[in-house]
Amino acid sequence: MAAVEDFAAAWRSLLTTDLGRTTHVRVAGGIALNTDTTATLIEDYKQQKGLYTDFAQTLESLLQEMLKQKGIRVHSIASRVKEEDSFAGKVSRSEGKYTELQEITDLAGIRIITYFDDEVDAIAELVEREFVIDEENSVDKRTLLDPDRFGYLSLHYVVGLSDQRAGLMEYARFQGCKAEIQIRSILQHTWAEIEHDLGYKTKQAIPREIRRSFSRLAGLLELADREFAKIRDDLREYEEDVQEQISDRPERVLIDQTSLKSYIACSQLVFEMDTRLVAAAQAQAVITSDSFVGQMVERLQYFGLQTISDVETTLQNNHDLLLAFAERWLSRRGRIPSLHVGVVLLYLCYLLAARTGATEQVYRFLDENGFGGSAATKEKYAKEILMTYQELTLA
């Protein structure tokens, strides 16, 4: 015990400051902790937490704009600052590692969650180009961790503002501030959140058999991450090629959201019929939305149309009657401010439903294909569709 007391006394002597203030030392198990410095750091952070909160929010907005400019769509981006109790615990456990607030690099943090794992590298390239990287405190855990630690395969950067950006008035007060930017895919994030919820802080703490399950699941999720990226790339390639396929062999191109959208955009027949209907309604043509096209796929398939050729042929065979039906229908709707490009396909479906000659069949089409409203509203709508058709065919 005397040796410990002598050790503490020696440290008290060494740590007496030039200002005449003695730094208090707490001795526990032979380890000297500088409690005065800890208290100073905690007080400094209380005073500067607002600055780091603003810094984190500014970085979040800045990164959002950068990603938008680069056309990189992410699942989420969020900022946070370290809570005061968490900060106090960190510096208390650091055993004198930190002497200044600026040495602590995770006071402000940004988490970017991507949809695909290869987007992590695209964002990393952007971060490295736009910020000053603290190489010593940054880490790419994807290259360090075991394969079964899938959920922690994230990329961590500690960054500061470049001199050029910090020289701008709106960023000047953040000179010298650092923040941690964490980038991971949504599957990696999901894994980490679930594993954290299970309560295991380290790999060694997990029972052996459970670790084996984690390892198997890690392989599956890593494969899923890559397969999702491949599906995305395949879809992009299909979108680029589908118009050529429609031009060459439309009878071989099945109706789906991509093929139908391409057909609507490029079909001269659809353009001519849409133009006539827009003029009749004195409406404005608006760009076709994906949701509209997706619904049209289901509605056309409801009537047995399976290929782009089926759609084109059905439009041609019903050209005059379809336009007459649509114009009469629109004349009864009152002022219509806008119509989707490709709206003629909607009226084609109305026409095909009305051909059944039965209100209950038209109602069934509406009920099974995404038309909202109450049963009474849909029944009224079905009767109006059938009446409009009958006025043209039974006259």
Side-chain angles (χ1 to χ4, degrees):
M1 186 65 184
V4 172
E5 292 174 350
D6 290 343
F7 178 73
W11 270 98
R12 290 191 188 96
S13 176
L14 287 172
L15 295 176
T16 301
T17 67
D18 293 336
L19 297 177
R21 183 183 66 187
T22 301
T23 301
H24 300 289
V25 176
R26 175 170 57 87
V27 177
I31 298 176
L33 301 180
N34 190 331
T35 57
D36 189 70
T37 301
T38 297
T40 300
L41 286 171
I42 292 173
E43 184 60 32
D44 286 347
Y45 185 59
K46 287 181 179 179
Q47 295 178 7
Q48 297 194 47
K49 184 181 177 184
L51 174 67
Y52 281 95
T53 298
D54 291 348
F55 183 48
Q57 293 173 350
T58 299
L59 283 183
E60 179 183 349
S61 298
L62 185 59
L63 282 163
Q64 285 176 334
E65 184 60 31
M66 289 176 178
L67 293 171
K68 182 179 179 181
Q69 291 293 329
K70 287 296 180 182
I72 302 175
R73 191 171 64 93
V74 298
H75 174 263
S76 64
I77 175 170
S79 60
R80 59 98 184 132
V81 290
K82 189 173 287 294
E83 295 299 329
E84 291 179 18
D85 57 349
S86 176
F87 175 85
K90 181 183 181 75
V91 294
S92 296
R93 293 189 301 270
S94 66
E95 299 180 4
K97 177 181 177 181
Y98 305 112
T99 59
E100 296 181 353
L101 196 62
Q102 289 73 19
E103 295 174 354
I104 304 174
T105 59
D106 64 345
L107 301 180
I110 307 291
R111 175 175 287 168
I112 303 174
I113 308 297
T114 70
Y115 285 104
F116 305 99
D117 71 330
D118 59 357
E119 291 171 338
V120 172
D121 290 320
I123 297 173
E125 183 180 334
L126 179 66
V127 170
E128 290 179 7
R129 185 170 63 250
E130 297 292 338
F131 297 95
V132 176
I133 307 300
D134 181 343
E135 299 285 354
E136 182 179 351
N137 291 298
S138 300
V139 59
D140 186 350
K141 292 189 176 183
R142 300 173 301 173
T143 64
L144 298 177
L145 295 178
D146 294 338
D148 63 350
R149 305 301 284 168
F150 174 78
Y152 293 94
L153 300 183
S154 54
L155 183 56
H156 293 246
Y157 282 114
V158 173
V159 307
L161 299 178
S162 65
D163 291 339
Q164 181 180 7
R165 181 165 279 120
L168 300 174
M169 181 171 27
E170 61 266 37
Y171 300 112
R173 65 194 180 105
F174 303 128
Q175 178 75 48
C177 292
K178 291 183 178 181
E180 181 182 75
I181 299 177
Q182 180 189 89
I183 315 168
R184 58 166 52 139
S185 76
I186 191 170
L187 284 184
Q188 292 165 354
H189 178 65
T190 301
W191 168 291
E193 289 294 296
I194 293 174
E195 190 172 28
H196 180 270
D197 187 61
L198 293 175
Y200 290 101
K201 301 298 184 183
T202 67
K203 173 182 176 179
Q204 288 72 24
I206 304 173
R208 182 179 179 84
E209 285 304 311
I210 304 301
R211 288 208 306 269
R212 290 171 62 87
S213 297
F214 269 119
S215 184
R216 289 193 297 269
L217 184 57
L220 290 173
L221 288 180
E222 187 168 0
L223 178 61
D225 236 345
R226 294 178 181 178
E227 285 300 310
F228 276 126
K230 183 178 183 301
I231 289 171
R232 175 204 59 198
D233 295 339
D234 289 345
L235 282 172
R236 288 175 179 171
E237 183 177 350
Y238 176 57
E239 289 170 358
E240 293 172 358
D241 295 343
V242 71
Q243 186 53 51
E244 184 177 347
Q245 296 176 28
I246 291 173
S247 299
D248 292 345
R249 301 295 296 272
E251 71 278 5
R252 293 188 177 183
V253 181
L254 296 175
I255 299 173
D256 55 46
Q257 184 168 301
T258 299
S259 64
L260 189 61
K261 188 173 183 178
S262 181
Y263 169 71
I264 290 171
C266 299
S267 169
Q268 184 63 29
L269 180 59
V270 170
F271 172 76
E272 291 174 355
M273 299 179 81
D274 272 355
T275 299
R276 182 163 162 180
L277 297 181
V278 167
Q282 297 182 331
Q284 179 181 1
V286 296
I287 297 174
T288 304
S289 67
D290 287 343
S291 62
F292 174 83
V293 178
Q295 288 177 330
M296 289 313 307
V297 170
E298 295 180 6
R299 293 166 184 174
L300 292 168
Q301 289 176 342
Y302 181 86
F303 294 106
L305 306 184
Q306 298 297 323
T307 68
I308 295 299
S309 179
D310 292 340
V311 177
E312 178 83 359
T313 300
T314 306
L315 282 174
Q316 290 172 341
N317 292 343
N318 294 277
H319 182 278
D320 294 342
L321 180 59
L322 175 55
L323 285 175
F325 173 88
E327 288 174 342
R328 181 165 294 204
W329 176 265
L330 289 168
S331 70
R332 288 177 165 156
R333 311 319 295 175
R335 180 80 174 96
I336 298 177
S338 62
L339 291 172
H340 276 287
V341 172
V343 70
V344 68
L345 298 179
L346 175 63
Y347 300 126
L348 175 62
C349 290
Y350 287 175
L351 182 67
L352 296 176
R355 275 208 174 126
T356 64
T359 301
E360 58 269 23
Q361 293 298 320
V362 181
Y363 176 91
R364 180 181 175 187
F365 160 70
L366 297 174
D367 189 49
E368 295 182 5
N369 286 275
F371 292 89
S374 64
T377 299
K378 281 183 282 193
E379 184 175 4
K380 178 182 177 183
Y381 209 69
K383 289 178 178 178
E384 290 178 359
I385 290 173
L386 189 58
M387 180 180 66
T388 303
Y389 173 75
Q390 291 173 342
E391 288 174 349
L392 293 170
T393 58
L394 300 178

